[in-house]
């Protein structure tokens, strides 16, 4: 039955053309994808801004720690951060936290 229905809607049997840049096979799906991608792009911009803010705050903490005679990196704090991200996001969260920590450490 499905083969017959597909033949009626698409007599050539060829796969429907996809819309440019989305991979969608209908205009409706392309519109949904386009709108969702705009939201993702806006979220990515916010995430990048937050990461930059995190880096700046981390630099303040490191300067205070070093000025007081401490070390640049506090390993027990880093372990707390790793656990927090891992608990919230699983193994990929640990990878994300490691990347954030690396970005935030500055030059070691």
């Amino acid at each position: 039955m499905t083969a017959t229905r597909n033949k009626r809607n698409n007599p050539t049997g060829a796969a429907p053309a996809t819309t440019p840049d989305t991979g969608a096979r209908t205009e409706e799906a392309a519109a949904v994808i386009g709108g969702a991608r705009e939201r993702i792009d806006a979220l990515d911009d916010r995430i990048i801004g937050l990461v930059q803010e995190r880096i700046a705050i981390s630099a303040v903490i490191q300067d205070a720690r070093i000025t007081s005679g401490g070390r640049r990196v506090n390993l027990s704090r880093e372990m707390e951060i790793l656990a927090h991200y891992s608990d919230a996001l699983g193994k990929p969260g640990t990878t994300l936290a490691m990347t954030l920590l690396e970005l935030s450490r500055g030059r070691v």
Side-chain angles (χ1 to χ4, degrees), residues 62 66 71-73 78 101-108:
Q62 289 175 45
I66 291 168
R71 296 174 171 234
R72 173 185 294 273
V73 175
E78 289 195 358
L101 290 169
E102 182 179 348
L103 287 167
S104 297
R105 282 187 200 118
R107 294 185 176 194
V108 225

Side-chain angles (χ1 to χ4, degrees), residues 12-61:
T12 65
T18 59
T19 58
D21 300 326
T22 66
R25 294 186 176 215
T26 67
E27 291 300 321
E28 295 81 15
V32 169
I33 291 167
R37 284 182 176 176
E38 286 177 14
R39 292 185 359 235
I40 285 175
D41 290 345
L43 286 169
D44 285 344
D45 288 342
R46 288 172 48 200
I47 291 167
I48 290 167
L50 289 170
V51 169
Q52 291 169 332
E53 184 178 351
R54 188 190 195 290
I55 291 167
I57 293 168
S58 183
V60 169
I61 292 168

Side-chain angles (χ1 to χ4, degrees), residues 62-95:
Q62 289 175 45
D63 286 344
R65 192 180 299 120
I66 291 168
T67 300
S68 72
R71 296 174 171 234
R72 173 185 294 273
V73 175
N74 181 334
L75 294 178
S76 64
R77 174 64 178 149
E78 289 195 358
M79 294 306 292
E80 289 174 15
I81 293 166
L82 289 169
H84 180 69
Y85 275 79
S86 177
D87 290 346
L89 303 171
K91 187 175 179 180
T94 304
T95 303

